[in-house]
Amino acid sequence: MYDNPDGVMIGLEVHVQLNKLKTKVFCGCVTDYHNDPPNSHVCPVCLGLPGSMPVINKKAVEAAIKIGLALNCKVEEHTQFYRKNYYYPDLPKGFQITQYDFPISSGGYVMIEGEDGELRVGITRAHMEEDPGRLVHEGTIDKSKYTLIDYNRSGMALIEIVSDPDMRSPKEARRYLDKLRNIVGYLDVFDGNLEGAMRVDANISIMGGQRAEIKNISSFKGAERALLFEIVRQKNVLRRGGVVVQETRHFDEAREITLSMRTKEEAHDYRYFPEPDLVPLKISGWAPAIKETLPELPDARRMRFVEQYGIKDDHAKALTSELKLAIFYEDVAKKADPKTAAVWVCDVLKGELNYRDLTVEAFKKEHMLSVLELLAGRKITEDGAVDIIRTLLDKGGSPEEIIKEKGLVIVAGDIVETAALEAIVENPQAAADYQAGKVKALNSLVGVVMKKTKGGADARKVREVLIAILSDGFYPPIEREKIEKTIIKIGDVMVEVSKPIANLLKKMGYV
Ligand code: ZN
Ligand code: MN
């Protein structure tokens, strides 16, 4: 049982930008502004000019329902927009259109891996709102002499997902965020790689004290760091006999600290009232129809992968962490051995992709299939396969071309083993010397094997096989104590090998 020594309570408010919708939430401005100059995707509505009127984007409502359902929320029959009044240049009309009473969905949950097993994180609500403009400060927010404003982002559809304060450590918060991105990513409503796709506000209190709200954290790593900082800061305040005040703090990504911005406002400070320019929305009957269109979600897919393909849960979890990766794996697993495919896609390919900051789209399924086929046919070694995958990612080409170019056509493992045995039998003195502690004696044996395999073998593999035969007495390496050893006489030299190797040598006619 995780006893939460600091009494940490964390609740997160995550803003998901529906950047895959074609247009903004209350106007017709197109949403693909990310590579365009500032203030080039704007109109009277999203600039908040007097007299302009919002019109709701039906696709945004559908996406909101999708997200609500995927988070196990209850989707309401009626929903209503509100004005949240505040004066700030990111919304020139003086208020944000958001939801208050009657949010589109509420009362859901997400399962995450907690400090002590599965943890259910409650979802208080997931409501719709408009994104404000983006403020750009020169240098740091507290030192900048002026503020630049880009309204391209203003009026983008947002879903604000508010969790219950169920997380007990920064690590759990991080896992919740990863899980949320994972789930929402399956719904094809946002591209998580675009700037500002998911923004986090974090509420944190310790020891039953007041909570601090940390605003506008732009990365998940940032969220974890900000929370770690806050725990230390709040502990220090308490240790000095002080009181943690309820306030809004800003996270400075560069310095990894939080700074006080203002004392926390309360809901009534915003003078919420129903948005008179938008009629209440009747959406009864929408949810069941949309539910039919939901894809198989990460948790369900993960369980199915374990059952259907017999792969390890760790692999299934990693493979379903992203929809594209899950589809890639499944397409490969249908044509290759699913377990081997899981190892190579998960442990090798995913690592190589992460290292290069690439997504799975950078690698062709057919290439994965040929690599697996070459491995299964023992045409290449595992090292060779890794080499091929790396070269494909760095330089392109095809596995066949790379094999030719690098001379990777590799003698099958059993041929290496036979050649190694022959090398030992033909050079028993070198074998005995190695066993007597003369490490360098191995080099001459490696040379013999390389010659026997006409340079086709992988030298590292040859060493591995030779060491295994001479030290453990058997190849592949198995637990030492399970091996019964015997001393055989080759020519005039005594060499210690395992019984299976001795039998093999006998069969081969060497002893
Ligand atoms: Zn607009
Ligand atoms: Mn919000």
Side-chain angles (χ1 to χ4, degrees), residues 24 27-29 41-47 154:
K24 293 184 179 180
C27 64
C29 290
H41 290 241
V42 291
C43 74
V45 174
C46 55
L47 282 175
S154 173

Side-chain angles (χ1 to χ4, degrees), residues 84-116:
K84 178 183 184 182
N85 297 279
Y86 67 88
Y87 175 76
Y88 206 56
D90 61 358
L91 272 174
K93 63 184 185 285
F95 60 87
Q96 179 191 30
I97 303 179
T98 179
Q99 299 198 290
Y100 188 59
D101 291 332
F102 320 110
I104 192 158
S105 69
S106 57
Y109 65 90
V110 164
M111 299 304 294
I112 66 161
E113 218 174 288
E115 295 281 358
D116 53 353

